[in-house]
Structures are given as C-alpha cells and as structure tokens.
Amino acid sequence: MAGRDAELHASGQLGDRQAAVPAVTGLITGHAVYALVAVAGLAIIVASSPAALTALTVAGAGYLLWLGRGVLRQPAVPSTAGGSADASPVRVLLKGAGISGLNPKALLLYFSLFPQFIDPATGWPVAARTGLLATVHLTACAVVYLAVGVLARTVLSSRPSAARAVTRVSGAMMIAMGAILLVGRLAG
C-alpha cells in the first residue's frame, strides 16, 4: 500500500537486490517498536478508553482518506534507475526503520485497530493477544515488502501505466478503509 513505506519502493531500494533485505529489516524494525509498546500495555489503555479509541480511529480514518486522495491525484511511478549504489546496508536499514518508525499509519494500527480485538475479560492475557496480533502483522509486512521488492522493478518499472493503475487501486483502497473505519466508529 502506498504511503511513507513506499519511499523505499520509489527510491528503488526495495527493488535493488542488495538493499532489499536491509530495507525490509529496517521497515519491520520500525513497526516492531510500536509492537513492543503495544505489548507493554499502551494498546489496552487506549482500548479501555472509548474517547481515546474514537479519537485515534477518527484520526486514522482521516489520515487514510487524505493519503488515498493524494495517491489518486498524483499516482507514483517507479523510476527505472536503481537505488543508490553507495548506500551501505546499515544506512538502508536505518532509513527503513526511520520511515516505518515515524509512520503514523503504523501507530494508528497498533493503537486504534488492535485494541478492538483485545478484550481483557477473555482467557488470554492482554500482552499475549497483542503479541500475537503484532507477530501476524510483522510477518505479513515482511512477506509483502519482500514480494514488492522482487516484483516491483521487474513488472512495474517497465510498465508505467500498470504502476499508475496499482497506485490508484491502492489509493482507492485507502479511501474505502478510511470511510469504513470512520462510519463504523461513529455509527457504533
């Protein structure tokens, strides 16, 4: 999905075979920081406060609507040039960690979406349930980012119209998800 993490896609670093693994590791590291904070209990504090949950959900929905509108207005096309050849793996990893660690979508995922699936009254400890959700998310992200890294340069860089179509579908999905979150939270 287009967003801040797509900066690595656009820069060619996920499509650069030597930079793909450090880039994905960095992106996952940034998300893992949010996961650890959520497992430590902040997500359940948000879940137990209807006002905080509503505020974060509305903010997340608004952000998705804004992002989706921007993507539809100016769809990105991957460049045919590769990523920076002089970027060290550590530098690429740190860039990925910074991008995802500062990504408000990740923050909103862990603190507005996850709490909806956490009920302290059930048999599982809150930390265990949060940890499971985070593990599923981190694994899915790693698989998707690696797949995008392998396929993006091969398929989309030689087909700019396909790249624009994929970006537009992504923008439309962001708008749909934002609208669903907003309507669901405000109607409930």
Side-chain angles (χ1 to χ4, degrees), residues 6-70:
E7 279 186 27
L8 287 183
H9 300 269
S11 70
Q13 288 175 328
L14 282 182
D16 178 352
R17 289 188 181 141
Q18 294 177 336
V21 171
V24 170
T25 302
L27 290 169
I28 299 306
T29 300
H31 289 312
V33 170
Y34 286 131
L36 291 172
V37 171
V39 168
L42 193 55
I44 197 61
I45 291 169
V46 170
S48 63
S49 169
L53 185 57
T54 297
L56 280 172
T57 303
V58 168
Y63 180 70
L64 282 170
L65 292 168
W66 175 78
L67 244 179
R69 179 179 172 267

Side-chain angles (χ1 to χ4, degrees), residues 61 64-69 72 170-180:
L64 282 170
L65 292 168
W66 175 78
L67 244 179
R69 179 179 172 267
L72 288 176
S170 189
M173 288 173 57
M174 282 187 267
I175 289 171
M177 286 187 296
I180 289 168

Side-chain angles (χ1 to χ4, degrees), residues 54-141:
T54 297
L56 280 172
T57 303
V58 168
Y63 180 70
L64 282 170
L65 292 168
W66 175 78
L67 244 179
R69 179 179 172 267
V71 167
L72 288 176
R73 291 184 67 191
Q74 293 185 313
V77 179
S79 69
T80 56
S84 175
D86 62 341
S88 73
V90 171
R91 183 176 222 152
V92 173
L93 184 141
L94 291 173
K95 181 177 180 181
I99 287 172
S100 68
L102 297 173
N103 185 345
K105 281 192 301 188
L107 174 71
L108 291 167
L109 172 77
Y110 282 100
F111 297 105
S112 68
L113 184 62
F114 276 20
Q116 297 177 45
F117 298 98
I118 300 168
D119 183 2
T122 62
W124 274 41
V126 172
R129 184 170 295 193
T130 305
L132 177 62
L133 288 171
T135 300
V136 169
H137 174 251
L138 295 172
T139 303
C141 283

Side-chain angles (χ1 to χ4, degrees), residues 161-186:
S161 62
R164 279 190 294 279
V166 166
T167 303
R168 285 190 173 121
V169 167
S170 189
M173 288 173 57
M174 282 187 267
I175 289 171
M177 286 187 296
I180 289 168
L181 274 173
L182 191 61
V183 168
R185 194 69 194 151
L186 296 178

